[in-house]
Amino acid sequence: MAEKIVQTAGRDALGTFAPEFAHYNDDILFGENWNNEDIDLKTRCIITVVSLMSQGVTDSSLKYHLTNAKNHGVTKKEMAAIITHTAFYCGWPHSWATFNLAKEIYADEE
């Protein structure tokens, strides 16, 4: 079995304000979904980055998932190709915004 994904961000940020949401985030989304082995973590990371990019989500969550993708083996060259390929489907402005974040994440590889 691969490394187990454990998330506490929901409880850390919303545990007392929205405990049910925190539970879904930490235990279901990350605890069950991210630990499902039907898709390897690298592919799951790529899918997540593209999904967020396609929605125009360019906040800290996309930055987190770009970092997560890098940490699970997505190289700078692969990430550039992924963003470029999906730009035609997700939207050019979304891709520019994603590239700006990806450049930060992969800056150590420049």
Side-chain angles (χ1 to χ4, degrees), residues 49-57 62 83 86-87 90 94-95 98:
V49 167
V50 171
S51 295
L52 293 172
M53 183 178 100
S54 71
Q55 296 176 70
V57 176
L62 179 56
I83 297 168
T86 56
C90 297
H94 295 175
S95 300
T98 303

Side-chain angles (χ1 to χ4, degrees), residues 24-108:
Y24 294 140
N25 185 82
D26 297 351
D27 302 332
I28 307 301
L29 172 58
F30 285 94
E32 292 182 24
N33 186 54
W34 272 87
N35 286 300
N36 177 299
E37 294 181 352
D38 294 340
I39 304 171
D40 64 86
L41 281 174
K42 183 177 177 179
T43 303
R44 195 175 296 277
C45 290
I46 292 167
I47 292 167
T48 303
V49 167
V50 171
S51 295
L52 293 172
M53 183 178 100
S54 71
Q55 296 176 70
V57 176
T58 56
D59 63 5
S60 61
S61 62
L62 179 56
K63 195 170 184 178
Y64 168 85
H65 285 289
L66 285 163
T67 302
N68 200 33
K70 180 181 178 187
N71 291 341
H72 286 97
V74 180
T75 67
K76 179 181 85 169
K77 186 175 182 177
E78 288 173 322
M79 186 55 72
I82 290 162
I83 297 168
T84 300
H85 174 75
T86 56
F88 293 94
Y89 302 95
C90 297
W92 215 251
H94 295 175
S95 300
W96 268 104
T98 303
F99 268 125
N100 288 331
L101 291 175
K103 282 176 58 180
E104 287 179 39
I105 303 305
Y106 289 90
D108 62 331

